[in-house]
Amino acid sequence: MDAAHVESDLVNVLYTEAQIQERIGELAAEIERDYEGKDLLIVGVLRGAVMVMADMARALSRHVEMDWMAVSSYGSGTKSSGVVRILKDLDSDISGRHVLVVDEIIDSGLTLTWLTANLTSRSPASVEICTLLRKPEAQKMPVDVKYVGWDIPNEFVVGYGLDYRENYRNLRDIGTLAPHVYGG
């Protein structure tokens, strides 16, 4: 879906599909350098990270194993609920492995702080985080993020995996959702 299809729902487009693909390519090059010669497992955080994971995996010029976790701290609202729940756990044993958690956005930091602690307790060789977007002003918990696509303002954004009530995930661009859509 193009931004033109939902133009009245967006305040503006922050990043176009082309800009997103370029930045993912740059992040993939950094990841390849840092993990050269290492067995890497990339773990996507469902559902939002599906687009980032797929494009990241295709941008890497090496073999990479993928696994998925589904965690939630949102429910159906626009702000984190503060309670993290595992909805789907990993299928892979990560002990002794290099794990790169891939997410689409870091908002409060609660989910990824909890998730990295959970994964670290499973004895991996390393756990690092890659996120396409980060909202520094919204962070309530410090999160050590190794790879960041962009820092963005504390606004409600949709597209490229980011949703509002499960809509807008298939928007190719990332844009700020208009308050009239979510009553904000």
Side-chain angles (χ1 to χ4, degrees):
M1 176 169 55
D2 295 317
H5 294 117
V6 292
E7 189 173 21
S8 65
D9 292 353
L10 301 177
V11 174
N12 64 337
V13 172
L14 293 174
Y15 302 104
T16 65
E17 180 180 19
Q19 290 171 312
I20 294 166
Q21 294 307 315
E22 181 179 347
R23 186 65 183 122
I24 286 177
E26 293 166 357
L27 292 169
E30 288 180 51
I31 291 165
E32 285 182 340
R33 279 191 305 273
D34 293 347
Y35 288 95
E36 187 175 343
K38 296 177 181 172
D39 181 31
L40 178 61
L41 171 67
I42 57 175
V43 173
V45 182
L46 292 170
R47 297 180 199 164
V50 169
M51 308 298 187
V52 180
M53 275 282 283
D55 288 343
M56 178 67 69
R58 287 189 292 250
L60 293 167
S61 59
R62 57 169 287 169
H63 292 289
V64 65
E65 185 180 339
M66 295 189 289
D67 203 343
W68 299 91
M69 286 188 83
V71 295
S72 176
S73 69
Y74 279 86
S76 63
T78 61
K79 296 196 185 306
S80 177
S81 68
V83 177
V84 179
R85 300 177 305 146
I86 291 181
L87 305 176
K88 185 229 175 278
D89 206 345
L90 295 173
D91 294 324
S92 308
D93 176 7
I94 64 169
S95 59
R97 307 224 24 217
H98 295 280
V99 176
L100 179 63
V101 176
V102 177
D103 208 354
E104 81 284 11
I105 193 166
I106 297 176
D107 217 328
S108 68
L110 175 69
T111 301
L112 280 177
T113 298
W114 183 90
L115 184 58
T116 53
N118 179 286
L119 294 175
T120 300
S121 74
R122 302 179 194 197
S123 304
S126 67
V127 176
E128 299 290 351
I129 298 170
C130 174
T131 187
L132 185 61
L133 304 172
R134 177 175 59 185
K135 293 182 182 178
E137 296 170 20
Q139 281 192 278
K140 296 177 182 164
M141 303 284 293
V143 182
D144 185 20
V145 184
K146 189 163 186 176
Y147 308 98
V148 178
W150 293 285
D151 283 330
I152 64 169
N154 189 16
E155 298 172 341
F156 196 80
V157 293
V158 294
Y160 197 71
L162 297 152
D163 76 300
Y164 174 63
R165 295 188 175 170
E166 296 304 321
N167 290 307
Y168 306 97
R169 286 193 196 277
N170 62 325
L171 178 61
R172 291 183 182 105
D173 304 318
I174 295 172
T176 305
L177 190 63
H180 74 82
V181 175
Y182 61 91

